[in-house]
Amino acid sequence: MSYIRQFELRAYENRLEKKFETLIYLCLGQESIYSTVALSIKNSITFGQHRGHGIYLANGGDPKKLVDELIGLNTGTNKGMGGSPPIFDKKIGMYGHVGLIGDQVPVAAGYSLVNKSKKTICYFGDGAAEEDYVLASFGFVSQKKLNILFICDDNDLSVLTPTKDRRSWKLVDVAKSFGINAIDITDDPLTIYYNIKKIEKKNLPALINIRTCREYWHEGAGKDQEGKYFWSRYKIVKKILESKNQEKFVNNTEMLHKKWSKKLWEKQLQKL
């Protein structure tokens, strides 16, 4: 979580200072999801979404290539042609989407159809859940009994519109109506970990809707307003560790990643 967070904070700061001005979709606030899923499930194929920097880093992606992609260099993950949204790296088994929100869901379903022995993980957001091709994919994977796990990063916002203003139904209920094993949980790391282990014992396909918070704007360098139902899972985990006499570990870890991220970004930005 610290590794992802310090990378993203440095990306945010450099974007704010206009050291690069390409589009950027930060995953700050959602680090626990990508960290825990990557640690819980090994040797899988991953389909990311537009807030996918953390997915890439958690799965062993090259941070230098990620920076280069974000700042538009041909040494980036997509040769500088995709930018922040469609992070793609076949070496680590990660496929990005092409910009149409949620389009990775039917693609992931198709991949799973022809690679049934390989577990497929597909991320998407609560806004993407409302696209017709996403919901249609649920029926497809259920009918074919595919080896796929859907993870919905539910930050309750589609750009700036909360879920209550967009729909009256719940994603978990819809998934269950298609015969998919589905649960709704928070972004607590242990909660994610233990529920993934429970799901793995049952037959896939499955869906985990993970309630989380987006700390920064949908796009760009701005901070979302902290409302009534806002929380920072990173800060919560940090406080728990400190209460268990792990303050030294926390401080050392953060300092290590702060220094690493600062050096990484400074070196890569010199290429511009």
Side-chain angles (χ1 to χ4, degrees), residues 158-169:
S158 178
V159 186
L160 290 172
T161 308
T163 306
K164 65 180 180 63
D165 295 334
R166 303 186 332 251
R167 53 178 156 98
S168 59
W169 48 269

Side-chain angles (χ1 to χ4, degrees), residues 80 102 184:
D184 191 322

Side-chain angles (χ1 to χ4, degrees), residues 182-232:
I183 56 173
D184 191 322
I185 62 174
T186 68
D187 58 0
D188 171 64
L190 286 176
T191 301
I192 298 171
Y193 178 83
Y194 286 120
N195 276 283
I196 285 177
K197 293 306 174 184
K198 285 181 183 178
I199 280 177
E200 284 188 310
K201 293 178 181 178
K202 300 178 182 180
N203 292 328
L204 294 176
L207 163 77
I208 305 180
N209 188 79
I210 305 179
R211 296 184 183 273
T212 187
C213 289
R214 188 186 79 194
E215 291 186 30
Y216 288 74
W217 285 352
H218 169 72
E219 188 282 321
K223 206 171 190 315
D224 281 336
Q225 184 176 357
E226 297 188 9
K228 182 179 179 181
Y229 300 107
F230 179 89
W231 67 88
S232 170

Side-chain angles (χ1 to χ4, degrees), residues 65-79:
K65 289 174 64 177
L66 181 55
V67 174
D68 288 356
E69 187 61 36
L70 299 183
I71 63 178
L73 301 181
N74 61 10
T75 46
T77 58
N78 299 49
K79 297 184 179 181

Side-chain angles (χ1 to χ4, degrees), residues 14-262:
N14 285 315
R15 179 66 161 74
L16 193 63
E17 294 171 6
K18 296 186 177 181
K19 292 184 179 178
F20 68 99
E21 297 187 60
T22 53
L23 296 175
I24 188 166
Y25 298 86
L26 300 168
C27 71
L28 286 158
Q30 302 177 186
E31 306 94 334
S32 65
I33 299 175
Y34 313 130
S35 302
T36 309
V37 173
L39 287 170
S40 303
I41 304 175
K42 305 293 185 181
N43 301 318
S44 60
I45 294 297
T46 302
F47 286 80
Q49 41 100 327
H50 72 276
R51 208 168 301 287
H53 306 165
I55 302 171
Y56 180 73
L57 293 172
N59 283 280
D62 184 342
K64 292 180 182 179
K65 289 174 64 177
L66 181 55
V67 174
D68 288 356
E69 187 61 36
L70 299 183
I71 63 178
L73 301 181
N74 61 10
T75 46
T77 58
N78 299 49
K79 297 184 179 181
M81 300 299 290
S84 181
I87 304 302
F88 176 102
D89 195 338
K90 195 173 181 180
K91 289 183 179 178
I92 64 167
M94 179 174 172
Y95 298 85
H97 75 95
V98 299
L100 186 63
I101 298 301
D103 65 15
Q104 71 276 14
V105 178
V107 176
Y111 181 93
S112 185
L113 177 67
V114 296
N115 295 275
K116 293 181 179 179
S117 61
K118 194 83 170 178
K119 188 169 293 180
T120 301
I121 300 172
C122 179
Y123 292 90
F124 60 92
D126 55 285
E130 294 153 23
E131 299 293 349
D132 54 355
Y133 43 81
V134 171
L135 299 178
S137 298
F138 286 176
F140 179 79
V141 301
S142 179
Q143 176 67 24
K144 300 297 182 180
K145 297 180 173 58
L146 300 184
N147 191 20
I148 187 169
L149 172 63
F150 294 113
I151 303 287
C152 180
D153 298 335
D154 185 356
N155 59 33
D156 193 38
L157 289 170
S158 178
V159 186
L160 290 172
T161 308
T163 306
K164 65 180 180 63
D165 295 334
R166 303 186 332 251
R167 53 178 156 98
S168 59
W169 48 269
K170 295 181 180 179
L171 181 61
V172 166
D173 293 339
V174 172
K176 286 180 178 178
S177 74
F178 281 107
I180 293 175
N181 181 25
I183 56 173
D184 191 322
I185 62 174
T186 68
D187 58 0
D188 171 64
L190 286 176
T191 301
I192 298 171
Y193 178 83
Y194 286 120
N195 276 283
I196 285 177
K197 293 306 174 184
K198 285 181 183 178
I199 280 177
E200 284 188 310
K201 293 178 181 178
K202 300 178 182 180
N203 292 328
L204 294 176
L207 163 77
I208 305 180
N209 188 79
I210 305 179
R211 296 184 183 273
T212 187
C213 289
R214 188 186 79 194
E215 291 186 30
Y216 288 74
W217 285 352
H218 169 72
E219 188 282 321
K223 206 171 190 315
D224 281 336
Q225 184 176 357
E226 297 188 9
K228 182 179 179 181
Y229 300 107
F230 179 89
W231 67 88
S232 170
R233 184 57 62 183
Y234 183 87
K235 292 178 182 178
I236 293 171
V237 171
K238 183 177 175 178
K239 285 182 179 179
I240 291 172
L241 288 171
E242 289 173 343
S243 71
K244 297 182 181 296
N245 300 316
Q246 295 296 316
E247 187 172 0
K248 183 177 180 181
F249 164 75
V250 170
N251 291 337
N252 287 344
T253 301
E254 284 189 326
M255 186 58 66
L256 174 69
H257 290 142
K258 283 179 181 179
K259 289 180 178 179
W260 159 79
S261 182
K262 182 180 180 181

